[in-house]
Amino acid sequence: MRNKIYIATKTAATTPDEFWRQLETSLHLLRTDYLDLYQFHCVNQCYRPEDGTGMYECMLKAKEQGMIRHIGVTAHKIGIAEECVASGLYETMQFPFSYLSSVQELHLVEACSRQNMGFIAMKGLAGGLIHNSKAAMAYMTQFDNVLPIWGIQKISELEEWLSYMENTPSIDEEISAYIEKEKLELTGDFCRGCGYCMPCPAGIMINQCARMSLMLRRAPSAGWLTPQMQEEMKKIENCLECGQCMKKCPYELNTPELLKKNYEDYKKVLAGEVSVN
């Protein structure tokens, strides 16, 4: 059975000691002798042989010992991702990708193809902002080297994605028109809700508050207008302007400004000046 299952996981280790400890933990918890794909996760640099960190050497040794089969990397910053792809040292790149992606991200997919690298598309639903799974899947099928990984919380969602394995949707005129409409509404500087900016020293729930305007319009608004949520949004008034969130944001957003913009819109919705669904 094991040879019919492809197991991939990742490590956020930044030292060799952490690397080996996390690898042993993963093997133990996954109850396997080897991993098919092991990925450096959310890297801030492209690990290379003899770069002084010893990290890439750890991957090579683990591969020699049969603990892993393939070496991959995940990134959130496009510059780091491009460097990793150009290095020729990795077999897969995992990066946020959806039909809302920019031209630069499309070029990253193409660069992976030229390097004979697999591209693992995370956040294929753009952090929950994309609701049409058929359109999301159809978009992905255009790329031979792209494998999407979908966030799944319910059995019904799993069944929905599995159904596309047998009846895979493809881009047609209707889906193309739908995607173009979505791009007009959503493309730009918006929070994906990844949470890498957290925790906030002022206690602001940034990964929800910074995308509130979109959530009010793309989900039933009642759940976002509760007294509890109003209290969370009010915390934006206590923003320290410390810039910690901006430094940690993988999308390099101006998070404090995004919070203010969303809060102003939220207050208008509460006051009845702006209507939402």
Side-chain angles (χ1 to χ4, degrees), residues 12 18 47 91 196:
E18 284 182 305
Y47 289 124
E91 296 169 85
Y196 284 106

Side-chain angles (χ1 to χ4, degrees), residues 28-257:
H28 173 71
L29 294 177
L30 292 168
R31 300 180 184 180
T32 183
D33 296 327
Y34 67 93
L35 300 171
D36 296 280
L37 173 65
Y38 202 42
Q39 304 157 96
F40 287 126
H41 178 51
C42 198
V43 293
N44 288 316
Q45 69 178 91
C46 174
Y47 289 124
R48 303 169 181 269
E50 300 181 359
D51 64 4
T53 67
M55 297 303 291
Y56 197 83
E57 286 84 350
C58 287
M59 280 287 195
L60 291 176
K61 186 175 180 180
K63 190 173 182 180
E64 289 172 5
Q65 293 180 355
M67 302 171 79
I68 65 173
R69 297 276 176 91
H70 302 280
I71 301 172
V73 63
T74 87
H76 284 266
K77 295 184 178 180
I78 191 71
I80 296 294
E82 290 170 341
E83 185 180 352
C84 289
V85 172
S87 74
L89 294 169
Y90 299 95
E91 296 169 85
T92 62
M93 163 59 66
Q94 185 175 158
F95 196 82
F97 188 66
S98 71
Y99 62 61
L100 299 178
S101 293
S102 68
V103 171
Q104 196 172 12
E105 288 152 347
L106 282 168
H107 288 168
L108 184 67
V109 171
E110 294 166 358
C112 285
S113 182
R114 290 193 296 272
Q115 291 277 33
N116 197 30
M117 283 179 67
F119 186 99
I120 302 172
M122 64 166 123
K123 300 192 181 299
L125 297 178
L129 295 178
I130 292 175
H131 294 163
N132 189 325
S133 65
K134 182 179 179 181
M137 187 68 178
Y139 180 80
M140 296 293 185
T141 60
Q142 299 178 102
F143 308 95
D144 292 339
N145 64 321
V146 171
L147 174 69
I149 50 174
W150 310 105
I152 296 170
Q153 295 179 316
K154 304 174 183 176
I155 290 295
S156 59
E157 293 173 349
L158 175 60
E159 291 172 344
E160 185 175 359
W161 291 118
L162 289 176
S163 72
Y164 294 146
M165 298 299 101
E166 295 182 1
N167 300 295
T168 306
S170 58
I171 292 289
D172 57 23
E173 189 174 326
E174 181 182 352
I175 290 178
S176 292
Y178 176 84
I179 288 176
E180 288 307 311
K181 181 176 178 293
E182 289 273 279
K183 284 182 176 180
L184 288 174
E185 181 178 344
L186 293 172
T187 299
D189 291 339
F190 64 90
C191 174
R192 278 76 167 178
C194 68
Y196 284 106
C197 56
M198 303 290 282
C200 168
I204 301 169
M205 191 163 58
I206 300 172
N207 57 329
Q208 297 295 349
C209 297
R211 59 178 186 157
M212 182 57 68
S213 293
L214 287 171
M215 300 311 293
L216 285 172
R217 291 161 176 81
R218 298 186 65 80
S221 59
W224 300 101
L225 297 171
T226 62
Q228 181 182 0
M229 204 64 234
Q230 291 178 42
E231 290 179 13
E232 292 295 338
M233 290 297 289
K234 189 172 177 59
K235 291 178 183 178
I236 294 174
E237 296 176 1
N238 302 323
C239 176
L240 302 173
E241 302 281 352
C242 64
Q244 287 188 30
C245 51
M246 292 178 64
K247 292 177 183 177
K248 292 187 284 186
C249 178
Y251 303 98
E252 300 180 346
L253 298 175
N254 187 332
T255 313
E257 287 301 315

